[in-house]
Amino acid sequence: MAKWKDAIRRALYPAYEARMVRALPRDRLPKHIGVMLDGNRRWAKAVGADTAHGHRAGAANIEPLLGWCEEVGIEVVTLWLLSTDNLNRPAAELEPLLDIIEEAVLSLADQRRWRVHPVGALDLLPQRTAARLKEAQELTRDVDGMLVNIAVGYGGRREIADAVRSILLEEAGVGTTMEELAAKISVEQIGEHLYTKGQPDPDLVIRTSGEQRLGGFLLWQSARSEFYFCEALWPDFRRVDFIRAIRAYADRERRFGQ
């Protein structure tokens, strides 16, 4: 009986999802979404597999997500794959995870379908990982497609500290005194030195796995974002879950932090 129910569900869901997409109000859809791909390790534990298997399952779900984003006209996607805190994990877990991330990012770049842009403290990453992220960026620099920010070695506090550090060095280089800088520094100036400089702030931030916290993701940029928390673990996140998140966003009356 369960197999029949699964077969019926698989047959009916595409039509249901297509109807949901057609019903989305095109003038109320987000242009930039951030996604916290959470729950790979818990998914692996639930299916009786090792952690690396969970990370591979999560990596395999990235390309479908980007396709769903294209389908509804998203222009920028920021994917949080590895935080600065995650860099403290045991080497036995971290090294395979970095390998999986490198393979996933280069696979996206090889398709030349999206522009890949690494965001994070690349100086904290192993040299090979940082080099491959930069390689993916170069391979897709001239691609006329959706911009995909790959947040690896990323932490919101570190990003803000890096932005301030960059401003101090820049101003010191032209002889600005500390008093002069204190008088003129602005929110706009800090924004121009973030990893996502020149990009619109995210309209919507999605976190999977049921956790309802930011954990340091896009702290500066998400001040006016809408948030959507999904119970599904990331490897189980489906097209219908994504469409529901977009629909929930479209149904909200945005107050932009007020």
Side-chain angles (χ1 to χ4, degrees):
M1 182 63 70
K3 290 183 178 179
W4 278 106
K5 288 182 178 179
D6 288 341
I8 292 171
R9 187 179 295 113
R10 286 195 299 270
L12 295 180
Y13 253 90
Y16 169 61
E17 293 166 351
R19 186 166 64 251
M20 290 175 67
V21 170
R22 289 194 298 271
L24 291 172
R26 295 292 164 172
D27 60 335
R28 294 177 59 84
L29 302 184
K31 296 300 182 184
H32 179 179
I33 67 169
V35 187
M36 306 172 72
L37 317 180
D38 194 22
N40 292 337
R41 292 195 294 177
R42 276 172 282 169
W43 182 90
K45 184 177 181 180
V47 301
D50 62 17
T51 299
H53 182 71
H55 291 313
R56 289 191 189 93
N61 209 22
I62 291 174
E63 184 178 336
L65 170 70
L66 297 181
W68 307 332
C69 290
E70 284 182 321
E71 182 181 21
V72 299
I74 305 298
E75 296 174 1
V76 184
V77 182
T78 300
L79 305 175
W80 198 12
L81 303 186
L82 186 75
S83 72
T84 49
D85 291 337
N86 293 155
L87 294 173
N88 296 320
R89 290 180 179 176
E93 178 182 351
L94 181 59
E95 290 175 5
L97 173 55
L98 289 172
D99 289 342
I100 292 165
I101 289 173
E102 292 170 18
E103 292 170 7
V105 173
L106 285 174
S107 176
L108 296 179
D110 285 342
Q111 296 183 50
R112 294 186 55 78
R113 181 176 172 186
W114 305 291
R115 283 182 294 141
V116 175
H117 177 63
V119 295
L122 299 188
D123 57 303
L124 297 181
L125 299 175
Q127 184 176 1
R128 188 190 72 176
T129 302
R132 290 190 171 179
L133 292 174
K134 293 175 182 176
E135 179 185 352
Q137 182 176 28
E138 288 301 316
L139 285 171
T140 61
R141 187 174 296 278
D142 61 345
V143 172
D144 184 19
M146 187 170 63
L147 176 61
V148 180
N149 293 317
I150 302 293
V152 177
Y154 176 87
R157 290 180 174 179
R158 172 66 187 245
E159 179 180 25
I160 295 169
D162 282 350
V164 173
R165 186 179 300 109
S166 177
I167 292 170
L168 291 173
L169 291 172
E170 184 179 277
E171 295 292 341
V174 296
T176 304
T177 67
M178 290 300 295
E179 292 77 11
E180 291 170 335
L181 178 56
K184 75 173 188 176
I185 195 166
S186 65
V187 168
E188 291 75 21
Q189 188 177 20
I190 294 174
E192 290 167 0
H193 289 77
L194 297 173
Y195 302 147
T196 57
K197 61 185 177 182
Q199 301 178 20
D201 289 338
D203 302 298
L204 172 65
V205 175
I206 300 171
R207 181 167 189 158
T208 60
S209 85
E211 299 288 345
Q212 298 189 21
R213 52 189 169 82
L214 274 179
F217 184 50
L218 299 177
L219 291 179
W220 183 280
Q221 298 91 328
S222 65
R224 297 179 176 178
S225 302
E226 299 293 323
F227 297 90
Y228 183 88
F229 300 104
C230 178
E231 291 296 323
L233 301 175
W234 169 244
D236 287 333
F237 188 76
R238 304 162 299 166
R239 180 176 178 234
V240 69
D241 298 313
F242 172 77
I243 298 168
R244 286 169 178 162
I246 300 299
R247 183 175 63 184
Y249 169 87
D251 287 343
R252 295 179 188 177
E253 180 183 351
R254 296 195 69 188
R255 300 182 184 276
F256 296 97
Q258 298 180 11

